[in-house]
Amino acid sequence: MSNNTTKSRQVENSLGSSIALFVPMMLLFLGAIYSLTFLTLENTWPMAVCLILFAAAFWIPQTLLGRSNSAGEN
């Protein structure tokens, strides 16, 4: 007696919504890197901007969008 049923692949969200989430987060991350071009020893504000944008690029998807806990659900 063998059970040859295949489990269908479960997709969490569509390609369009994945791209819509990825693009703004990547822009935040790249903005953090770009802000470092203005960093000097006299002007430390670009580092503060970098840290805020960098943290937001990771915090928003993991906390507000709930994407941090979806890896091991299969």
Side-chain angles (χ1 to χ4, degrees):
M1 207 163 144
S2 67
N3 190 0
N4 290 334
T5 61
T6 59
K7 191 175 183 180
S8 65
R9 185 174 153 234
Q10 295 177 350
V11 178
E12 188 170 323
N13 53 358
S14 66
L15 178 63
S17 64
S18 293
I19 292 172
L21 293 173
F22 174 77
V23 170
M25 296 309 116
M26 186 54 76
L27 288 175
L28 284 174
F29 179 71
L30 293 175
I33 294 172
Y34 179 70
S35 72
L36 293 178
T37 62
F38 301 104
L39 183 64
T40 62
L41 291 176
E42 292 84 24
N43 186 11
T44 57
W45 283 107
M47 181 56 81
V49 171
C50 174
L51 291 174
I52 291 169
L53 290 177
F54 184 76
F58 286 96
W59 181 74
I60 291 171
Q62 290 183 352
T63 305
L64 297 180
L65 301 176
R67 301 287 182 224
S68 65
N69 58 357
S70 62
E73 291 181 355
N74 289 346

